[in-house]
Amino acid sequence: MKTANQETLYGKNPQQLAALCLEEGLPRFAAGQIARWLYKRHTEDPAQMTDLPAAVRTRLAQRFTAALSAPVRVSESADGTRKYLFRTRAGHPIESAYIPEAERATLCVSSQAGCRMGCRFCATGRQGLQQSLPAEEILNQIVSLPERDRLTNLVFMGMGEPLDNTDEVLRSLEILTAEWGFGWSPKRITVSTAGVVPQLRRLLDATKVHLAVSLHNPFPEERAAIMPVERAWPVAEVVRVLREYDFTHQRRVSFEYIVLSGLNDTPRHVRELCRLLNGIPCRINLIRFHRIPESPYFSPPDEEMIRFRDALTARGIQTTIRASRGEDIQAACGLLSTQEKARQ
Ligand code: SF4
């Protein structure tokens, strides 16, 4: 009988497939054949891999369990945003948000069920970490999405801290961007991090994807009060690492900034942001705070968001206000899965 712990074929990279072919007595080129079935045709069922010998197909079917599974729930917003709930093989609910716009369609994927970073403004942080997702469960959110063929962009900004699951996130990025894999341009992918410094260089060295850093406050003590990660890896250290890399050509860096009324949106914060980011070609994305239950934080009124944006722009930092999407369907990351956990 198959169990949740069984190995999956989906999610393996060419080196792993080559090792498998060796074990199965297949020629090395069979690794490429299997990769094509998995990542071009998106089938993981060995029975359909008709260019492999029948006996091998039977053995693979016995050996590997299915990785791909459809979402178990969907909520649709009036603005077209859809939040999908997937269940991991270990049974944890995870969220993906599909965000269609005029000229692009973005999927926000989760890299973990829950998160251990504990950001105070985040419903996922309150859950704690239940599970880091293997590459196949990250990829499943894309492959099993009903709108898969419409996707233009991917952001790792769902549940979890991608750099707290770096090995599997890198494997999923390899499969997404390699010619033998999905063949996506890295320019279509953004990985967001709260700033896990030891893993940041790995990501920047191993990939060409865009980077988003969750900043939210430029002052160490104030940031630590809402983001405990600041105590382990100060954002000043993150910025020092970023200065070693080129963000002028192929890849971009942006800073995510949830605006919390009265807490991080004063002229003092404008000045410190400019000092901290001085000389880094970047953009700041201002984000409205999506309320979560029993939270002391509030988003400022629109006119104050605009004033804050204009103050940063006037000092030379490209700053945008991100459009709020899916407000009516538990837009804050982690709320839907928190409800699902309560329901179980
Ligand atoms: Fe984790 Fe991101 Fe939430 Fe912070 S904001 S707790 S890093 S999921």
Side-chain angles (χ1 to χ4, degrees), residues 89-227:
R89 281 179 292 137
H92 301 297
I94 55 164
E95 300 174 15
S96 318
Y98 171 73
I99 308 160
E101 292 167 282
E103 290 180 355
R104 53 199 261 164
T106 303
L107 185 70
C108 177
V109 294
S110 294
S111 56
Q112 296 180 309
C115 182
R116 61 176 178 161
M117 295 295 139
C119 302
R120 304 276 183 258
F121 46 78
C122 174
T124 303
R126 285 186 185 175
Q127 292 181 11
L129 178 65
Q130 292 116 52
Q131 185 200 346
S132 285
L133 303 185
E136 63 271 17
E137 291 191 331
I138 296 173
L139 296 171
N140 181 52
Q141 298 165 66
I142 303 155
V143 180
S144 298
L145 188 81
E147 300 84 357
R148 178 183 77 201
D149 296 333
R150 280 184 240 155
L151 285 180
T152 60
N153 293 74
L154 198 64
V155 292
F156 283 68
M157 291 186 187
M159 299 171 74
E161 163 55 58
L163 297 188
D164 191 32
N165 184 20
T166 313
D167 288 350
E168 296 301 315
V169 166
L170 287 181
R171 189 151 60 94
S172 66
L173 290 173
E174 180 190 12
I175 293 168
L176 279 164
T177 57
E179 260 320 303
W180 51 261
F182 288 38
W184 276 42
S185 162
K187 292 182 186 170
R188 295 165 65 189
I189 303 173
T190 301
V191 173
S192 172
T193 178
V196 180
V197 171
Q199 302 297 328
L200 183 57
R201 277 200 184 83
R202 269 187 81 196
L203 175 79
L204 292 172
D205 290 339
T207 75
K208 292 191 169 67
V209 298
H210 300 307
L211 183 73
V213 175
S214 299
L215 178 52
H216 310 315
N217 200 309
F219 292 105
E221 280 309 310
E222 294 178 21
R223 186 170 187 261
I226 55 170
M227 298 180 72

Side-chain angles (χ1 to χ4, degrees), residues 31 66 77 109 128 153-154 157 159 200 218 282 289 304 319 321 343:
S77 163
V109 294
N153 293 74
L154 198 64
M157 291 186 187
M159 299 171 74
L200 183 57
C282 65
F289 174 60
E304 280 176 36
T319 307
I321 299 174
R343 229 166 49 102

